[in-house]
Amino acid sequence: MLFRSTKQSFKEIHDFIKNYANTPDAFKAIEASLVYSDLAKTPKAKKYAKEHGIMKSDHDDFMETVYSAPVEVRAKVIPSFEKLNKNVQQHVLDLHLAVPLHWGHALHLEGGKAMFSRLIARRNPPTTHHVKQAFLIQVCDVAASQAHVNLQGSIAFNE
């Protein structure tokens, strides 16, 4: 049985957003990361990526490869990325590199302990701030996808 989220729960999510998307650049980086997270689902992005040797079926692996690609390749696959100011671009890349974890896989327990290997292999652990921003992107992504399933409210956001 699902219980609808309380007003208090939404307030807590709102406060979480205010704390971790707390500057215009941070907000824009989170917004851009959220939009780009589904880029691998678009035929045009896949076509441009394939022209540069990027062929990944999993959308998280796709974005990981695109973010790690040379600037010229990234500009072809994500033309709007180059239109972001340099601080926002760097924030997106830093966020991606700081938290090398595919949240959806972890939350759905897909891939076993290997899914944490890149996170564990880091010499320096990611900052709490980066982890919370990455989690915020995941929360927004799940909320948006679930709204497509049930127009009466997100089934992912329940008590």
Side-chain angles (χ1 to χ4, degrees):
M1 178 196 279
L2 296 176
F3 298 97
R4 291 184 182 192
S5 293
T6 64
K7 186 173 182 177
Q8 179 60 30
S9 292
F10 280 99
K11 182 185 178 325
E12 289 172 14
I13 292 169
H14 177 74
D15 291 345
F16 187 79
I17 292 167
K18 285 184 359 188
N19 287 329
Y20 295 100
N22 54 354
T23 68
D25 283 353
F27 186 86
K28 189 66 176 173
I30 290 168
E31 179 183 64
S33 296
L34 180 59
V35 170
Y36 297 151
S37 71
D38 285 335
L39 200 59
K41 297 175 184 176
T42 66
K44 204 174 230 185
K46 286 165 98 170
K47 175 183 171 256
Y48 292 146
K50 187 175 182 180
E51 290 171 2
H52 292 88
I54 299 172
M55 295 174 283
K56 302 286 183 181
S57 56
D58 180 85
H59 65 278
D60 293 321
D61 293 336
F62 178 89
M63 286 312 301
E64 176 183 328
T65 305
V66 170
Y67 283 139
S68 301
V71 173
E72 311 78 49
V73 173
R74 193 172 50 240
K76 295 286 186 189
V77 180
I78 319 172
S80 63
F81 187 83
E82 297 307 312
K83 295 176 182 169
L84 298 171
N85 79 48
K86 296 295 180 198
N87 289 339
V88 172
Q89 288 179 20
Q90 195 58 53
H91 193 113
V92 169
L93 296 175
D94 289 348
L95 181 57
H96 162 73
L97 293 172
V99 188
L101 175 68
H102 302 312
W103 287 93
H105 297 191
L107 294 172
H108 297 290
L109 303 176
E110 299 168 344
K113 66 181 181 180
M115 74 181 114
F116 298 105
S117 61
R118 290 185 322 117
L119 189 60
I120 293 167
R122 286 183 45 88
R123 289 199 174 113
N124 301 317
T127 66
T128 300
H129 198 77
H130 278 126
V131 171
K132 289 188 176 186
Q133 285 184 336
F135 183 69
L136 176 58
I137 293 164
Q138 176 64 23
V139 167
C140 292
D141 190 42
V142 169
S145 71
Q146 291 303 308
H148 295 287
V149 175
N150 179 354
L151 296 177
Q152 301 303 311
S154 172
I155 60 174
F157 279 80
N158 59 61
E159 292 300 316

